[in-house]
Amino acid sequence: VTVLSCAQDGITLSARLSPEQRDIYTRAMARMHLPAAPFEAREPWMPAMLLSVVPLIQRGYNPTDGVEATLTAAGTAAGKRISGLESADIQIGFFDSMAIDTQVDFLVSSAAAALSGEDSLAPMIDQWAAGDPDRLGALMNAELASSPELARILLTDRNANWAEWIRLRLAEPGGRYFVAVGAGHLAGTGSVQQMLFAQGIIATRVAY
């Protein structure tokens, strides 16, 4: 995996932040027991990612318990061929391609959330478990409302790419595919289903 996180303009991370932003960021890093110095030469998205993930781990969320890990294990055990819609390099590139101002907004909002101690993921998990995509979508949209560019890069652009991938697979003769994406991509404005509908493909929800 190629990590493109070093600032190309030579500006330090602290220099990009206002005194108020720097205070929020510094206190959040200290609260999460993360050293700030190693990130001074990095672009803001990298510590922003850590400040988004570390609080969840500290609250007891385990990445290995996620749906992706469960489905991958089940598919492997069943002898299914498994491939990803995106590589790790592509996913890292999403963050690296963001405008610096958007990265700073992402960093500050992540730092503020880490300081708040609020578990914003719990309500989303509740709506996912309840099978309520409308409320889940509303929560997701509210989380990203302050940064339309972040929402476009992380959600709607990817949803459009995945819908096109699905359309091409459906156009091929024969073959059956099981496609799994994060719940946030199936809810709210610009969901994968909406992108498919725009191409004349109707997705039907099946309850088990």
Side-chain angles (χ1 to χ4, degrees), residues 35-175:
F39 296 100
E40 276 298 287
R42 305 292 182 178
E43 292 188 347
W45 71 262
M46 194 171 186
M49 281 291 296
L50 286 175
L51 287 172
S52 299
V53 173
V54 170
L56 299 178
I57 295 175
Q58 291 185 355
R59 292 188 187 102
Y61 291 106
N62 188 342
T64 62
D65 292 335
V67 174
E68 181 178 357
T70 301
L71 290 175
T72 299
T76 300
K80 303 293 185 182
R81 186 176 67 179
I82 300 174
S83 63
L85 292 170
E86 298 167 344
S87 66
D89 277 349
I90 288 175
Q91 292 179 337
I92 288 174
F94 291 141
F95 295 98
D96 194 63
S97 68
M98 292 178 187
I100 289 296
D101 288 347
T102 300
Q103 293 187 37
V104 169
D105 290 342
F106 180 28
L107 174 60
V108 175
S109 63
S110 298
L115 287 173
S116 74
E118 180 182 353
D119 187 353
S120 60
L121 188 60
M124 297 184 191
I125 292 175
D126 290 341
Q127 299 309 324
W128 173 80
D132 192 334
D134 293 331
R135 291 187 179 181
L136 176 60
L139 289 172
M140 289 289 299
N141 290 339
E143 282 281 306
L144 293 170
S146 62
S147 181
E149 183 184 2
L150 190 63
R152 177 184 62 79
I153 292 172
L154 297 185
L155 282 177
T156 52
D157 280 1
R158 297 168 75 195
N159 292 350
N161 290 337
W162 297 346
E164 175 64 8
W165 186 94
I166 293 171
R167 185 190 69 78
L168 292 174
R169 298 295 80 74
L170 290 174
E172 295 176 354

Side-chain angles (χ1 to χ4, degrees), residues 6-68:
C6 292
Q8 301 300 307
D9 54 13
I11 299 176
T12 63
L13 181 59
S14 295
R16 300 186 192 279
L17 307 177
S18 68
E20 181 182 0
Q21 291 173 329
R22 195 177 307 121
D23 176 66
I24 294 172
Y25 165 65
T26 302
R27 287 191 293 114
M29 293 292 279
R31 176 80 62 85
M32 295 299 111
H33 306 290
L34 296 170
F39 296 100
E40 276 298 287
R42 305 292 182 178
E43 292 188 347
W45 71 262
M46 194 171 186
M49 281 291 296
L50 286 175
L51 287 172
S52 299
V53 173
V54 170
L56 299 178
I57 295 175
Q58 291 185 355
R59 292 188 187 102
Y61 291 106
N62 188 342
T64 62
D65 292 335
V67 174
E68 181 178 357

Side-chain angles (χ1 to χ4, degrees), residues 180-205:
V181 300
H185 296 279
L186 301 175
T189 303
S191 66
V192 172
Q193 303 98 300
Q194 288 187 357
M195 298 294 186
L196 288 170
F197 185 79
Q199 300 190 57
I201 300 170
I202 298 176
T204 303
R205 181 176 179 178

